[in-house]
Amino acid sequence: MKKHILTLCLFLLISGILAGQNNTVIPAPLVFVQNTGYFSIASGCKVSAPAAFKREMHFLQTELLRYKHLTTTFAASEKEAVIILSNKASKNFLYELQILKNKVIITSGTDTGIFYGIISFLQLVNNASSLQQIPCATIKDSPSMPWRGIMRDESRHFFGVEKVKSILDWMAYYKLNKFHWHLTDEPGWRIEIKQYPNLTNIGGIGNFSDKNAEARYYTQQDINEIVQYAHDRKIEVIPEIDMPGHASAANRAYPEFSGGGSEKHPDFTFHPTKETTYQYLTNILKEINVLFPDRMLHLGGDEVSFGIDKWKTDPAVLELMQKKNMNDIKGVETYFIERMADSLAAMNAKILVWDEMVTANLPLDKTIIFWWRHDKPEQLKLSLQKGYKTVVCPRIPYYFDFVQKEDHKVGRKWGGKFSDLQSIYNFSLKELQPDAKSRSSILGVQGNIWTETIQTNDRLDFMLFPRIAALAESAWTPEEGRNFDRFMERLKLHTILYEAEKLYYFNPFDAGVHGEPAN
Ligand code: ACM
């Protein structure tokens, strides 16, 4: 039965897209049926919502005011309202949106569903040729993947509260729902920890371009504000505190916990045998766990091998290896993560790690693995084989610090390959998930923005737009319903909004509009 409904939806999706010049929504909804006529919106429009959805209605009102300078007011009763939020669960869809000639009704049994219905409506308003020409349509919609993420690196270059909020706004506009925030690494530590003020006073100094740049970091008050802002947009926030490698900034602040490094990456690791290291990091994670109530903490675990030369000759490390029967130094890495995972488990928080840690013995029901090394598909395979929930974000095409056009100069390539819009859009999970069990283990996809080559807001926007839109559709819309050419037609309309919002975006329709910004 379920299969029949899905087939029907896909048919409607494809036929809807084909028929529907008026479907301008990204990501493409599962069902879009175009009706005749237009809805017209003007200031004074009355709205109504049950108590459960008052916040979501307020969001719609503020966005209509922001984008279109329209004022709306709450109706005394639903009868006199023109825009109605309705609390009714649908059996097969997360939300439904009906745009009639004289009314708009958004229906869902959840606040998240209502929010996404509002977003679809807002997009149709923004993309309409005028406020009198909002196309009548019926949308029935659900996401195909639960994890639709963006990761941003704040250590290499720091961007600040306003830029984070802007990214959260755009994530919400494209129904992305996980913000993975890489807050610590070699150049700087970017989050205030009350118990260890030097992490920011000293560790916050410097960035990838200037190791003496003044300390920049988020206060705990900033974090509270951002987490609330994200939640208002149905986005969960996942902090990453990278360990046991990429720890140089922390080690500048508290050298007593340093495990040394290598010539190229001095003081890169935490010390893996001192009990005080584990207590120190657990104390930090306890504060982090309070600040990020979504209870998913990313512990990194990547590229530890870049800086473990000192471990290899440290008598205490060699003794640990012998005592624990470890065959190689990699055993020390996994031991470290397992110890810290115990701390997180005691806080009842999920443990998120990069794919290097797939060989660690982490609890299946509490761990999420992030597959990032596109040249090591065996890591993904092992993650799925072991039964871990897995987020898919291979460098190609999901690293947005890679260039998106052959002749772009600033940013990475890998053996000549890069992350262009079409590769992101068409990325297929089919061959990665051969059976139903592994299919259900893949949570979704994520675009990662590392910032070694991104110093300014303009460059950040240039690398993010319009790839964020392709990412969103690849995460939300089932593969069978995606069509790159149709997506590009819809995207063209979205660039009108990018212009209005003064975004410095890469324009795939006319690369001359905004040239590639220097780093
Ligand atoms: C990574 O790119 N080091 C996860």
Side-chain angles (χ1 to χ4, degrees):
M1 180 64 186
K2 241 182 164 167
K3 198 160 170 226
H4 284 126
I5 291 170
L6 188 66
T7 311
L8 178 68
C9 288
L10 289 172
F11 171 76
L12 287 170
L13 167 71
I14 292 160
S15 57
I17 287 173
L18 291 177
Q21 291 290 44
N22 287 330
N23 173 22
T24 60
V25 177
I26 294 177
L30 204 50
V31 176
F32 182 97
V33 179
Q34 192 174 316
N35 301 322
T36 52
Y38 295 94
F39 171 74
S40 176
I41 190 167
S43 275
C45 172
K46 291 245 166 50
V47 301
S48 86
F53 300 150
K54 284 265 165 27
R55 284 175 82 90
E56 287 69 30
M57 182 54 95
H58 184 234
F59 176 83
L60 173 61
Q61 291 181 286
T62 53
E63 294 300 271
L64 285 173
L65 184 57
R66 175 162 82 99
Y67 287 125
K68 296 292 173 191
H69 305 173
L70 283 174
T71 54
T72 48
T73 49
F74 261 90
S77 72
E78 191 178 298
K79 258 208 225 111
E80 64 183 58
V82 173
I83 301 177
I84 298 161
L85 303 187
S86 169
N87 189 352
K88 202 161 65 184
S90 144
K91 228 169 52 206
N92 300 314
F93 301 97
L94 178 58
Y95 75 89
E96 297 188 13
L97 163 64
Q98 251 187 304
I99 304 180
L100 308 171
K101 285 182 189 149
N102 60 348
K103 251 187 197 3
V104 172
I105 306 162
I106 302 172
T107 310
S108 177
T110 70
D111 56 300
T112 303
I114 286 289
F115 184 81
Y116 290 149
I118 286 171
I119 292 289
S120 293
F121 175 62
L122 272 174
Q123 286 199 6
L124 288 166
V125 171
N126 279 341
N127 297 335
S129 54
S130 78
L131 293 178
Q132 290 74 48
Q133 300 269 315
I134 299 155
C136 288
T138 302
I139 287 179
K140 298 177 191 233
D141 203 9
S142 304
S144 70
M145 295 188 207
W147 191 289
R148 306 179 300 280
I150 289 278
M151 186 227 79
R152 197 178 60 146
D153 167 15
E154 203 81 48
S155 176
R156 273 46 179 247
H157 290 106
F158 179 88
F159 290 85
V161 173
E162 287 317 303
K163 196 59 196 164
V164 176
K165 285 186 177 174
S166 152
I167 288 177
L168 293 169
D169 283 338
W170 284 105
M171 285 178 66
Y173 198 71
Y174 287 125
K175 304 189 179 102
L176 296 167
N177 66 348
K178 302 284 188 275
F179 180 56
H180 170 176
W181 207 1
H182 187 81
L183 287 163
T184 70
D185 213 300
E186 288 179 88
W189 179 284
R190 307 294 183 206
I191 177 166
E192 178 189 23
I193 301 295
K194 298 281 188 198
Q195 196 174 344
Y196 302 106
N198 285 348
L199 282 171
T200 41
N201 293 341
I202 296 173
I205 295 172
N207 60 42
F208 190 79
S209 317
D210 173 7
K211 70 181 181 36
N212 298 315
E214 69 167 323
R216 299 297 306 277
Y217 59 90
Y218 294 95
T219 63
Q220 295 200 350
Q221 198 176 340
D222 293 336
I223 300 284
N224 291 336
E225 185 182 326
I226 286 167
V227 168
Q228 185 57 52
Y229 195 85
H231 285 179
D232 287 346
R233 286 152 184 76
K234 314 304 170 194
I235 296 167
E236 293 186 311
V237 187
I238 298 104
E240 181 181 350
I241 307 297
D242 210 340
M243 61 183 76
H246 289 277
S248 332
N251 288 335
R252 282 203 309 277
Y254 293 96
E256 60 270 41
F257 304 114
S258 172
S262 59
E263 202 177 318
K264 212 164 149 210
H265 300 275
D267 286 309
F268 188 72
T269 63
F270 290 115
H271 202 286
T273 71
K274 290 182 183 167
E275 281 310 304
T276 49
T277 306
Y278 296 105
Q279 193 53 57
Y280 160 67
L281 289 173
T282 299
N283 290 342
I284 291 172
L285 293 182
K286 280 181 181 165
E287 291 197 27
I288 300 277
N289 188 46
V290 173
L291 294 168
F292 295 91
D294 299 311
R295 301 222 313 274
M296 292 183 281
L297 273 59
H298 203 299
L299 298 183
D302 57 319
E303 298 175 325
V304 191
S305 62
F306 284 11
I308 46 173
D309 288 359
K310 280 268 168 61
W311 284 9
K312 291 177 187 162
T313 55
D314 184 326
V317 176
L318 297 175
E319 191 187 321
L320 174 79
M321 288 175 71
Q322 202 175 34
K323 208 164 99 192
K324 301 274 178 196
N325 282 325
M326 294 173 188
N327 296 327
D328 52 30
I329 202 85
K330 175 83 189 177
V332 183
E333 294 179 25
T334 51
Y335 167 82
F336 192 105
I337 285 289
E338 287 162 12
R339 291 280 314 258
M340 294 313 302
D342 288 344
S343 291
L344 285 192
M347 297 172 211
N348 204 14
K350 286 226 161 86
I351 304 138
L352 281 57
V353 283
W354 298 107
D355 69 50
E356 283 89 335
M357 288 301 133
V358 73
T359 48
N361 190 14
L362 299 170
L364 271 186
D365 59 332
K366 295 193 180 72
T367 300
I368 301 175
I369 304 284
F370 286 64
W371 176 56
W372 68 280
R373 292 181 294 176
H374 70 287
D375 54 332
K376 292 193 187 303
E378 66 274 15
Q379 298 296 108
L380 172 67
K381 216 166 137 197
L382 183 58
S383 182
L384 297 176
Q385 242 169 30
K386 287 179 81 171
Y388 284 124
K389 294 280 184 238
T390 305
V391 172
V392 167
C393 51
R395 290 185 199 94
I396 308 283
Y398 285 124
Y399 271 26
F400 292 177
D401 57 322
F402 278 58
V403 299
Q404 54 191 312
K405 192 163 176 286
E406 179 84 58
D407 62 358
H408 284 172
K409 303 268 182 300
V410 189
R412 295 166 76 190
K413 284 187 181 170
W414 187 280
K417 291 202 177 129
F418 50 94
S419 300
D420 63 297
L421 201 57
Q422 191 158 5
S423 306
I424 294 163
Y425 188 84
N426 286 330
F427 187 76
S428 172
L429 292 168
K430 269 201 178 127
E431 60 204 67
L432 303 174
Q433 39 178 213
D435 53 58
K437 183 164 167 274
S438 57
R439 239 185 328 273
S440 68
S441 289
I442 293 186
L443 292 178
V445 294
Q446 180 169 290
N448 294 342
I449 313 173
W450 301 97
T451 58
E452 284 92 339
T453 58
I454 303 175
Q455 288 195 51
T456 62
N457 284 348
D458 277 0
R459 256 199 73 71
L460 190 65
D461 292 341
F462 187 80
M463 300 309 264
L464 189 55
F465 296 88
R467 291 192 281 199
I468 187 173
L471 168 78
E473 190 146 314
S474 81
W476 182 282
T477 311
E479 204 168 325
E480 295 77 1
R482 282 185 245 146
N483 175 309
F484 187 65
D485 293 338
R486 297 285 166 183
F487 166 75
M488 291 300 273
E489 279 174 21
R490 282 175 287 128
L491 182 62
K492 203 164 207 169
L493 281 168
H494 285 234
T495 64
I496 297 170
L497 183 63
Y498 298 172
E499 292 289 341
E501 296 286 299
K502 299 195 169 29
L503 274 180
Y504 197 97
Y505 66 104
F506 169 63
N507 187 332
F509 307 102
D510 181 354
V513 169
H514 297 301
E516 187 186 21
N519 187 23

